[in-house]
Amino acid sequence: MNIRAVVRGIGHYLPERIVENVEFEKTLDTSDEWIRTRSGIERRHFAAEGETTSMLGAKAAQAALLDAKMQASDLDAIIVATSTPDLTFPSVGTMIQKEIGMTSGFAFDVQAVCAGFIYALSNANAQIISGQAKRVMVVGAETFSRIMDWEDRSTCVLFGDGAGALILEAQEGEGNSEDRGILSVDLNSDGSYRDMLYVNGGVSSTGTSGKLQMQGNALFRQAVQKLASTAQTALEKANISSDEIDWVVPHQANIRIIEGTAKKLGLPMDKVVVTVQDHGNTSAASIPLAMSVGRERGQIKDGDICVAEAIGGGLAWGAVVLRW
Ligand code: UT7
C-alpha cells in the first residue's frame, strides 16, 4: 500500500483593485510597452489598505473548502507559504485557521519566497505519507505591494498581491506513475546567491520590514536553467517522460522565463498555464493562483499530469510532479 497526497479542491482570491501598466507611466520613467515586452505583465491586483496576507489567504482557503465540499473541521493541518506575513508572529497559518473556524489540528508558515508553494507542497506531502495528517490545506498568500520601492522601476512594476489554496488528502495508490496525487518532489537552494533577490530589512537586522531588491537580469539567466533542471529531475523521480505531461504550471515571474523553460523541456506553450499577464509576480501565491485559474478555464482536468516549478530569493527553487 502506498499513501499518496491527492488534490481534493482548489480556490483563489485576488484583491479587488486592478492596476494596469499605464498607471505606472504617471509616476515612473516606464511604459506599458516596456513592461509588456520584457515581462509579459499587463496588470496586477493590489491589496486595499488594511487588507492583509491572512485575509487574502483565508478567502482562498474558503474557496478551496467549497470546491472540495469540505468543512474547516475536516482539515488536520494548514501550511502557508508566504514572505509577507501580517505580523512577525503568530504565523499566517494560525490566523487563517482562526478565520475559517478550524479549532483543532495544526498550522504553520513556510518561507521560501517565490518557491514557497513548492516547499509547502513538499511538506504537506511528507505530513500525509508519514501518517501525521490526512487532509492538509496548502496556501500561498502574499502582499508583495507592501515591500515595493515605488521609485524603483526595475522591480515595482513586476509584482502583485493574491492567494491560492489547495487541499490534499491521503489516498491509497499503487506506488506507480498511474496514481493520482503528488508523484515526486525536487527541492534545491543555494544561499551564495543571496544578493540576487532579497529584502533590505528585517526583525533582527534593521527592525523594519524593508524593500525588495533584485538583480533582474542575472536572476533571469539563473531562472531558466535551474527551472528546467529541477523540472527534469522531478520528472525522472516520478518516472514520467516529457510527452506524458499535460500541463506545466510555472511560477509566474516573466513570460520570457516561462517560454524559455518550456522550450528547454521541449514543450509547446499550449501545455503551459499562463496567468502572468493578469496577476504579475505574486511570489508564493503564483502557482496555486495559476492552478486554480487553470481549473476554472477547463485546462487542468482530473487525471492530468502537472509539473509545477518555481525559483526565488535564496536562491531557492524546486518542482513537483502530480497527477490531478
Ligand atoms: O520571482 C522571483 C524570480 N524573479 C525573476 O525570475 C525575475 C527575473 N528577471 C526578469 O524578469 C527580467 O530580468 C526583468 C523583467 C526584471 C528585466 O528585464 P531585462 O530584459 O533583464 O532588462 P534589464 O534588467 O537588462 O534592463 C534593460 C533596460 C535597462 O536600461 P539600460 O541599462 O539598458 O539603459 C533598465 O534600466 O531596461 C531598463 N528598465 C526599464 N525601462 C523601462 C528596467 N526597468 C524598466 C522599466 N521601464 N520598468
Side-chain angles (χ1 to χ4, degrees), residues 20-36 38 44 152-154 156-158:
E20 302 285 338
N21 289 346
V22 288
E23 284 289 307
F24 292 99
E25 293 178 4
K26 295 178 190 162
T27 53
L28 290 169
D29 180 16
T30 189
S31 64
D32 171 44
E33 207 259 329
W34 190 95
I35 302 167
R36 253 173 224 261
R38 297 295 179 115
R44 73 287 293 138
D152 178 6
R153 66 177 184 171
S154 71
C156 73
V157 301
L158 302 173

Side-chain angles (χ1 to χ4, degrees), residues 31-323:
S31 64
D32 171 44
E33 207 259 329
W34 190 95
I35 302 167
R36 253 173 224 261
T37 52
R38 297 295 179 115
S39 72
I41 297 165
E42 296 171 22
R43 59 194 65 81
R44 73 287 293 138
H45 293 246
F46 285 148
E49 212 183 311
E51 193 174 33
T52 63
T53 296
S54 73
M55 292 177 190
L56 305 185
K59 286 187 172 139
Q62 300 280 18
L65 284 170
L66 206 64
D67 186 50
K69 299 185 178 62
M70 282 184 190
Q71 310 290 320
S73 56
D74 295 328
L75 299 171
D76 298 319
I78 301 176
I79 304 176
V80 179
T82 189
S83 301
T84 46
D86 301 28
L87 301 172
T88 301
F89 71 78
S91 67
V92 173
T94 55
M95 292 183 186
I96 293 177
Q97 188 185 23
K98 175 175 184 290
E99 191 58 32
I100 66 174
M102 177 185 161
T103 52
S104 61
F106 59 97
F108 62 95
D109 294 356
V110 164
Q111 209 273 55
V113 204
C114 299
F117 195 74
I118 300 290
Y119 275 64
L121 277 183
S122 168
N123 197 302
N125 186 46
Q127 303 278 353
I128 286 173
I129 59 185
S130 65
Q132 189 100 272
K134 278 199 164 54
R135 291 183 181 136
V136 182
M137 169 93 77
V138 189
V139 182
E142 302 277 20
T143 47
F144 260 51
S145 62
R146 308 287 194 244
I147 51 166
M148 288 299 114
D149 173 352
W150 298 110
E151 288 172 7
D152 178 6
R153 66 177 184 171
S154 71
T155 54
C156 73
V157 301
L158 302 173
F159 292 87
D161 301 337
L166 184 76
I167 298 172
L168 293 169
E169 183 179 57
Q171 282 180 22
E172 280 181 31
E174 298 295 327
N176 60 37
S177 60
E178 295 301 312
D179 288 349
R180 290 187 64 200
I182 294 181
L183 301 177
S184 70
V185 180
D186 184 58
L187 300 182
N188 311 268
S189 66
D190 184 346
S192 63
Y193 292 105
R194 190 201 92 133
D195 292 347
M196 221 172 252
L197 177 53
Y198 67 101
V199 170
N200 64 2
V203 180
S204 78
S205 54
T206 59
T208 61
S209 52
K211 301 293 176 204
L212 183 143
Q213 316 287 317
M214 180 168 76
Q215 297 166 16
N217 197 272
L219 180 54
F220 187 103
R221 290 194 299 273
Q222 291 296 327
V224 175
Q225 184 260 323
K226 287 185 163 44
L227 288 171
S229 153
T230 187
Q232 289 287 11
T233 306
L235 286 164
E236 278 160 30
K237 288 184 186 176
N239 203 21
I240 295 280
S241 62
S242 60
D243 54 358
E244 290 174 274
I245 298 170
D246 295 295
W247 293 103
V248 176
V249 190
H251 171 48
Q252 310 283 324
N254 185 315
I255 190 66
R256 293 184 297 133
I257 295 176
I258 295 171
E259 287 168 352
T261 308
K263 197 171 165 199
K264 264 192 185 289
L265 292 170
L267 293 170
M269 283 302 289
D270 61 8
K271 289 196 170 190
V272 183
V273 179
V274 180
T275 53
V276 68
Q277 69 282 6
D278 296 325
H279 302 166
N281 183 345
T282 57
S283 185
S286 93
I287 287 177
L289 269 167
M291 283 178 166
S292 184
V293 169
R295 282 289 278 184
E296 274 184 1
R297 287 179 187 156
Q299 293 177 311
I300 303 171
K301 298 190 181 63
D302 290 353
D304 279 358
I305 288 283
C306 300
V307 184
E309 30 92 341
I311 187 165
L315 296 178
W317 66 103
V320 165
V321 177
L322 65 85
R323 187 182 292 281

